[in-house]
Amino acid sequence: MELESKNQLQKQNGGTNFFKTCFNVLNTLTGIGILSMPYAVYQGGWFSFMLLIIFGVISCYTALLLEKCMNLNPKIKSYADIGEVAFGYKGRAMIAVFIYLEAFLICVELLILEADNLEKLFPNMRFTIFGVKIGGKSGFVFLTALAILPTTWLRNLGALAYISVGGVLTSVILIGCVMWVGEVDGVGFHERGDVIHWSGLSTSMSIFAFCYSAHSLMPTIRSSMTDTKQFSKVVLVCFVISTIIYGTIAILGYMMFGDNLKSQITLNLPKNTISTKIAIYSTVINPFTKYAIEISPITIAIEDKWNLCMRRPISIIVRTTIVASSVLVALCIPFFAYIMAFTGAFLSVAISLLFPCVCYLKMNKAGKKFELEMMIIMGILVIGTLIGIQGTYISVGQIVNQMKH
C-alpha cells in the first residue's frame, strides 16, 4: 500500500521545498502526543526527561536509516516499499499491517481526546441516542464520530491536508496557554516532582515512542521533496524543534501539577478561564482535520485490494464500518494514556526503531563491516525489543485493570 494519500497536496504542487517539508514533518511529529508529555514525565520522574532526549536522538538516527535505505534503491517511494525490497512481499505486508494498526489506534485516540476535552467544557451533558440514555463522554464519542464521518467519505484529501497544517500552530497555542495558566491564572510552578519513578519508566518510554513515531510517513515525505538531498537536514531540524516543544510542555506541566497530572494536560487546567478554553478549543479542532487523513491508508488499501473504489455506495459503507469500529473501541477502552502507551510500545517501537534497523542491515550488507554503525544498530535493536516487550506487557495490564473497575 502506498502511503502517498497523506501527501497528495504536495505532489500535486510539483514537490515541496525545504521549509514546507520541515513544516510537514513537524506537523507529523507534534501530534496529540504533546498533550500527554507532562504525564509521561510524571510517570517516570525527572529522570525520564533525559530519556525523552535520548529517544529523540535514536528516532532521528533511525529516520536517517530510512533515508539510507531509499538511497540504496531509487524505486523506493514509501515505507512499505522498503519492507518489500528488504524482505519481499512478506516484509511489505508486515510493515503495512503495523502501519494500519497504528493509524487505527490513533483514530481511536482522537475520539477519546475529543470526548475527554468536550466533557471538561460541558461536564453535565447527558444524551439520549435511539432512546438510550448515555453519559456525557460516551455521547461525545458518538457525536464526534457523526461529525467526522462525512470527511472520511472523501477520496481526495487535498483540502483536509491543507487545513491540517494548523497542527504545529496548535502546539504553540497549547504551550502559550499552559504558560499563561501557570504565570497569570495563579497556578504557579511550585511542584518539585520526584527524581525517578521506577515503576512508571516503561510507560514513559512507551509514550515517548508514540510521540516520535513519524517514520511511517518519512519516505513518502522525502519522495515529495523537490531536492531530496536536503532531507537529512529536514530530519535533524524537525527532531530538534519537536524535542524542544515536547520538553517545554513536559517541564511546564510537571512543575505546575506534579503528581496530580492527568493523561492530558488540558484536563488539569482550571475550569472557566479564557486560557483553558482557548487550549481546549484549539485541541478539539485537530481531530476533525486529522481523523480522515489518519484513516485514509486503511480505507484506500481495502478499496484498492478488492476494487471497491469504483462503487461509491460500497466505498461509503466500508469507510463508515471502519469509523464505527473505532467508535466501538473508544467506548470499550476509553483510556487515552494507556492506549497511547500500548500503541507506542507494541507498534511505534517496531515502526520507528526496529524495522528501520532490520531493513537497513538486510539491504546494506556492506554496512555490516562498519563496526561502529553495527554496534549502534544492534544497541537500538536490543533497547527497542526490551522497551517493546515490557511496555506492551505493562500497558495491556493497565488496560485490563481499568476495564475491571
Side-chain angles (χ1 to χ4, degrees):
M1 201 286 297
E2 303 295 336
L3 293 177
E4 285 133 356
S5 58
K6 289 189 178 183
N7 229 29
Q8 285 180 9
L9 182 65
Q10 288 81 9
K11 293 193 172 192
Q12 290 171 358
N13 290 339
T16 56
N17 59 27
F18 178 86
F19 294 103
K20 288 183 178 179
T21 306
C22 284
F23 200 84
N24 290 338
V25 175
L26 274 176
N27 190 44
T28 306
L29 277 172
T30 55
I32 59 176
I34 188 175
L35 296 169
S36 293
M37 192 53 62
Y39 176 81
V41 173
Y42 146 64
Q43 282 289 308
W46 286 114
F47 177 74
S48 63
F49 183 78
M50 184 176 68
L51 296 180
L52 168 66
I53 298 174
I54 293 173
F55 241 103
V57 173
I58 294 175
S59 298
C60 180
Y61 179 78
T62 54
L64 294 175
L65 284 184
L66 290 178
E67 185 192 23
K68 289 184 177 181
C69 290
M70 297 186 74
N71 290 335
L72 292 171
N73 191 323
K75 294 182 180 180
I76 293 176
K77 301 298 181 184
S78 69
Y79 201 153
D81 289 342
I82 294 176
E84 184 172 10
V85 171
F87 297 101
Y89 177 76
K90 291 182 179 179
R92 183 183 191 89
M94 173 71 76
I95 288 177
V97 167
F98 272 71
I99 290 174
Y100 298 154
L101 284 174
E102 185 183 49
F104 179 79
L105 289 178
I106 289 175
C107 290
V108 172
E109 287 278 76
L110 289 172
L111 293 177
I112 299 172
L113 162 70
E114 196 80 358
D116 284 343
N117 284 278
L118 287 175
E119 187 180 39
K120 184 176 177 67
L121 284 177
F122 310 103
N124 299 317
M125 292 289 287
R126 295 293 181 269
F127 300 92
T128 301
I129 300 179
F130 301 117
V132 180
K133 294 183 178 180
I134 57 177
K137 184 173 179 178
S138 299
F140 284 126
V141 169
F142 275 111
L143 290 179
T144 300
L146 289 173
I148 288 173
L149 183 59
T151 67
T152 66
W153 295 340
L154 303 172
R155 281 192 66 87
N156 187 344
L157 298 176
L160 285 175
Y162 182 76
I163 296 171
S164 72
V165 298
V168 178
L169 180 60
T170 300
S171 299
V172 176
I173 292 174
L174 178 64
I175 291 175
C177 290
V178 171
M179 291 181 66
W180 185 274
V181 169
E183 189 65 33
V184 179
D185 290 342
V187 173
F189 304 96
H190 309 301
E191 296 290 337
R192 294 182 179 275
D194 297 317
V195 175
I196 189 169
H197 293 153
W198 290 106
S199 60
L201 278 179
S202 180
T203 300
S204 295
M205 289 187 287
S206 298
I207 293 175
F208 295 158
F210 177 91
C211 293
Y212 280 116
S213 183
H215 294 59
S216 60
L217 280 179
M218 289 295 184
T220 305
I221 292 175
R222 179 185 181 274
S223 298
S224 74
M225 290 187 69
T226 304
D227 183 8
T228 57
K229 293 180 180 179
Q230 291 188 313
F231 184 71
S232 59
K233 296 179 182 178
V234 170
V235 170
L236 291 171
V237 168
C238 291
F239 271 94
V240 169
I241 294 176
S242 62
T243 301
I244 292 173
I245 291 174
Y246 284 144
T248 301
I249 193 72
I251 293 173
L252 291 174
Y254 197 28
M255 290 181 66
M256 288 169 62
F257 303 108
D259 292 345
N260 297 313
L261 275 162
K262 298 180 181 179
S263 61
Q264 303 161 47
I265 184 65
T266 49
L267 302 181
N268 280 101
L269 301 180
K271 296 180 180 180
N272 302 322
T273 64
I274 296 177
S275 53
T276 297
K277 291 181 179 180
I278 293 174
I280 293 180
Y281 281 129
S282 63
T283 299
V284 300
I285 290 173
N286 259 351
F288 286 96
T289 59
K290 288 191 174 182
Y291 187 99
I293 295 174
E294 288 293 342
I295 211 168
S296 63
I298 308 172
T299 57
I300 291 174
I302 294 173
E303 291 170 359
D304 290 349
K305 177 69 175 179
W306 288 284
N307 295 319
L308 301 176
C309 56
M310 300 302 294
R311 301 179 181 180
R312 183 65 175 168
I314 296 179
S315 175
I316 291 177
I317 291 173
V318 168
R319 291 161 184 253
T320 303
T321 301
I322 296 173
V323 173
S325 63
S326 69
V327 170
L328 183 62
V329 175
L331 291 174
C332 294
I333 316 176
F335 314 120
F336 185 84
Y338 296 153
I339 293 180
M340 181 178 290
F342 170 78
T343 305
F346 183 63
L347 300 171
S348 301
V349 164
I351 292 171
S352 61
L353 300 186
L354 303 183
F355 290 162
C357 293
V358 173
C359 290
Y360 178 71
L361 289 177
K362 178 68 173 178
M363 293 173 62
N364 187 29
K365 296 179 180 179
K368 295 179 181 179
K369 300 177 182 179
F370 187 33
E371 293 184 1
L372 178 60
E373 187 176 64
M374 269 295 294
M375 289 175 61
I376 294 174
I377 291 175
M378 293 307 296
I380 293 173
L381 287 173
V382 171
I383 293 171
T385 301
L386 292 175
I387 293 173
I389 293 173
Q390 185 180 18
T392 301
Y393 176 79
I394 291 176
S395 59
V396 169
Q398 290 172 328
I399 291 172
V400 172
N401 289 335
Q402 285 293 321
M403 292 181 71
K404 287 180 180 179
H405 294 112

